[in-house]
Amino acid sequence: MFLGDGAYDPESGDELWRSSQIVNTATAGTGSAIAAVVGKTILVTSPETRTISGLDVESGRQLWQTPWQDAYWVRSGATDGDHFVFSDYTGMHSIRARDGKMMWSVPLPPEVDPRGVVVSNAGKNVSFSWQNHFTVWR
């Protein structure tokens, strides 16, 4: 359970650890920098350093950091427990949670407004949608 810059035990409410990396202050107001929790890794984005980082869910310790130019635009996505598939201003991407390796990227079609793109879980598939278009990948 995360609140502000702290991680808390979901059963007892006890504070487990704190990290400024899970808070985003680069945009208007303070918000969460957490893009996803994949297995035992928390993926956080930093618009300031233009990176995606993996933090250990139990300790908050940084495991890896991957440069990502559009880290400010990383949107919610889907996970299979090993990877996080997300969209940003340029396309749809997959990052491996254990080491931060970018697995693949697919550019958005030219007519797509990235503000309307949604990547989400669809059963055991990944759905990718925008405006009146909908795609499911297996």
Side-chain angles (χ1 to χ4, degrees):
M1 187 168 68
F2 306 100
L3 180 62
D5 67 349
Y8 300 87
D9 184 287
E11 293 178 19
S12 68
D14 292 340
E15 181 180 297
L16 301 174
W17 51 265
R18 298 185 93 66
S19 172
S20 61
Q21 285 184 282
I22 65 173
V23 178
N24 179 358
T25 57
T27 57
T30 300
S32 177
I34 299 172
V37 178
V38 182
K40 297 279 187 177
T41 306
I42 304 163
L43 277 63
V44 297
T45 60
S46 174
E48 294 153 340
T49 61
R50 295 179 181 257
T51 58
I52 300 172
S53 299
L55 307 180
D56 178 74
V57 75
E58 294 176 3
S59 68
R61 180 180 58 87
Q62 182 173 307
L63 303 170
W64 50 262
Q65 189 171 72
T66 299
W68 196 252
Q69 185 67 23
D70 295 311
Y72 66 93
W73 194 271
V74 171
R75 297 293 187 249
S76 62
T79 180
D80 64 358
D82 294 316
H83 304 87
F84 178 57
V85 177
F86 63 94
S87 68
D88 66 9
Y89 199 79
T90 64
M92 189 164 78
H93 317 280
S94 175
I95 187 170
R96 190 167 54 200
R98 75 172 176 258
D99 58 9
K101 180 179 180 189
M102 295 306 295
M103 302 303 292
W104 51 261
S105 292
V106 177
L108 292 176
E111 70 277 6
V112 173
D113 181 346
R115 295 173 295 184
V117 172
V118 176
V119 177
S120 61
N121 285 330
K124 292 185 177 187
N125 305 307
V126 174
S127 72
F128 176 72
S129 61
W130 72 93
Q131 295 165 343
N132 60 350
H133 294 66
F134 182 78
T135 304
V136 176
W137 289 356
R138 292 183 186 259

